Amino acid sequence: MQASADSTKMDCLWSNWKCQAINLLYWREIKQTGIVFGSLLLLLFSLTQFSVVSVVAYLALAGLSATISFRIYKSVLQAVQKTDEGHPFKAYLDMEMNLSQDQIQKYTDCLQLYVNSTVKELRRLFLVQDLVDSLKFAVLMWLLTYVGALFNGLTLLIMAVVSMFTLPVVYDKYQAQIDQYLGLVRTHINTVVAKIQAKIPGAKRKAE
């Protein structure tokens, strides 16, 4: 019974996180999205100028400065007003943050599923189970060599964050036009792939 309750609670929590993520990416709460987007960009740009250790240390010092200052301010205020409101962060200190064994097992099972599926897919591509898919993967890796020569990992991460907060909004606004062009591109690619499969021995997929 307890395990079922924990699972239901985790499902509700995951659904809530998913809704919050969608609201952020689609700018449905502009102020909150702006804070998150700006904070992420500031963090990433800081990493381009300083080491990870320095950035983490500065962030920790900034957080500690804010909490210590607020704690001292509330203590002085309580002393002056002769009140006993207790610790200003008591609500957060009393908040339950422990993961149950079932929750840990659930996350572990999800991670194991992703790892196994990734390993199987890579094995399929590298051992050329399907020639066309392996050729597609080879072309993708070849293109990535040029991308890597132009941008470093941090720059790509910044571009990914900017895309996450802009592309969903653009797609939501121009969905009909984008879907139309994507359909044309997909049809053209499928036609080219079909021609390649017809000409390369062993490239045809087995009928399922």
Side-chain angles (χ1 to χ4, degrees):
M1 183 67 69
Q2 180 64 31
S4 177
D6 288 340
S7 178
T8 303
K9 184 177 180 181
M10 284 301 301
D11 290 339
C12 293
L13 190 59
W14 170 250
S15 178
N16 185 37
W17 287 346
K18 187 177 179 180
C19 290
Q20 289 181 359
I22 292 174
N23 290 336
L24 284 174
L25 296 180
Y26 281 89
W27 293 79
R28 291 172 182 166
E29 297 179 7
I30 296 178
K31 184 178 179 180
Q32 187 175 0
T33 301
I35 292 173
V36 173
F37 185 39
S39 300
L40 284 175
L41 284 183
L42 180 61
L43 175 62
L44 292 175
F45 280 121
S46 298
L47 289 173
T48 62
Q49 302 297 322
F50 306 100
S51 67
V52 176
V53 175
S54 296
V55 172
V56 172
Y58 281 128
L59 288 175
L61 284 174
L64 282 171
S65 298
T67 53
I68 291 172
S69 299
F70 185 71
R71 173 70 192 279
I72 294 174
Y73 166 75
K74 293 296 289 185
S75 298
V76 173
L77 191 63
Q78 290 177 27
V80 172
Q81 295 180 348
K82 296 182 179 180
T83 58
D84 188 16
E85 298 178 2
H87 198 290
F89 300 117
K90 181 174 174 52
Y92 298 101
L93 290 171
D94 294 339
M95 187 181 296
E96 183 64 36
M97 297 183 66
N98 294 329
L99 287 174
S100 67
Q101 186 65 34
D102 293 330
Q103 292 169 344
I104 295 174
Q105 185 63 42
K106 184 175 182 179
Y107 288 128
T108 304
D109 291 342
C110 290
L111 179 61
Q112 182 181 8
L113 178 64
Y114 289 135
V115 170
N116 289 339
S117 61
T118 301
V119 170
K120 288 179 181 179
E121 183 65 16
L122 289 175
R123 180 184 64 182
R124 188 180 73 85
L125 292 171
F126 278 102
L127 298 182
V128 199
Q129 180 177 345
D130 185 282
L131 181 58
V132 173
D133 284 346
S134 295
L135 288 174
K136 289 179 183 177
F137 184 65
V139 171
L140 176 61
M141 294 298 103
W142 177 68
L143 292 174
L144 286 179
T145 61
Y146 287 94
V147 174
L150 295 173
F151 309 102
N152 59 31
L154 199 53
T155 304
L156 291 175
L157 190 56
I158 292 173
M159 294 171 62
V161 170
V162 172
S163 299
M164 283 172 52
F165 283 89
T166 54
L167 293 183
V169 178
V170 173
Y171 178 76
D172 189 51
K173 189 174 182 179
Y174 302 102
Q175 182 174 357
Q177 297 92 321
I178 293 174
D179 286 344
Q180 180 181 357
Y181 288 118
L182 287 178
L184 294 174
V185 171
R186 190 180 297 112
T187 302
H188 181 69
I189 292 175
N190 290 338
T191 302
V192 172
V193 170
K195 291 180 179 178
I196 294 175
Q197 287 178 330
K199 293 181 178 180
I200 300 178
K204 282 190 175 182
R205 298 179 186 271
K206 293 182 179 179
E208 295 182 0

